[in-house]
Amino acid sequence: MGALAGVVAAFAYVGAVDPNEPGHYPVCPLFRLTGLYCPGCGGLRSAHAFAHGDLPTALGANALAVVGYGVFAVVAVLWLVRAYRGVPTRLAVPPVWWWGIGAVLALFTLVRNLPLGSALVP
């Protein structure tokens, strides 16, 4: 419950403090130094739009982050339902999944920094 409360509090803060206004949040260090977009670039703007119910803008800012919000929500609901029912829950992710997640992040980063991936740029 504490982790879920923390996520809700973080979304409430990002929903209240607009990341589109300069000075509220730091600039991505990778973007500042190299001009390249990391997989997280646009994540705060995506969370802000998502918190306000603006799904198209959230997807435009960082589509991968929106997918992550959905995955987190499904895992959290399953975990809470199992905890309520008294079923022990072990969230163990096999190494192959971690490699797959890393590959997706690397591919997303590569594509969004190429001219053909301009739709993925925040």
Side-chain angles (χ1 to χ4, degrees), residues 2 4-6 13 22 27 31-32 43-44 47 50 63 66 69 71 75 77 102 104 111 122:
L4 190 57
Y13 180 79
V27 176
F31 182 74
R32 174 174 264 167
L44 286 173
F50 192 82
V66 175
Y69 307 150
V71 169
V75 169
V77 166
V104 168
V111 170

Side-chain angles (χ1 to χ4, degrees), residues 36-48:
L36 296 173
Y37 295 103
C38 75
C41 281
L44 286 173
R45 287 174 283 199
S46 175
H48 179 77

Side-chain angles (χ1 to χ4, degrees), residues 57-109:
T57 301
L59 286 167
N62 191 325
L64 194 59
V66 175
V67 171
Y69 307 150
V71 169
F72 178 82
V74 167
V75 169
V77 166
L78 289 174
W79 185 38
L80 289 172
V81 167
R82 287 182 176 188
Y84 179 75
R85 291 181 179 170
V87 177
T89 304
R90 182 171 176 239
L91 296 176
V93 180
V96 69
W97 280 90
W98 288 116
W99 284 103
I101 291 167
V104 168
L105 289 172
L107 185 62
F108 180 72
T109 303

Side-chain angles (χ1 to χ4, degrees), residues 7 19 43 49 63 70 96 116 120:
V7 170
V96 69
L116 64 101
L120 298 175

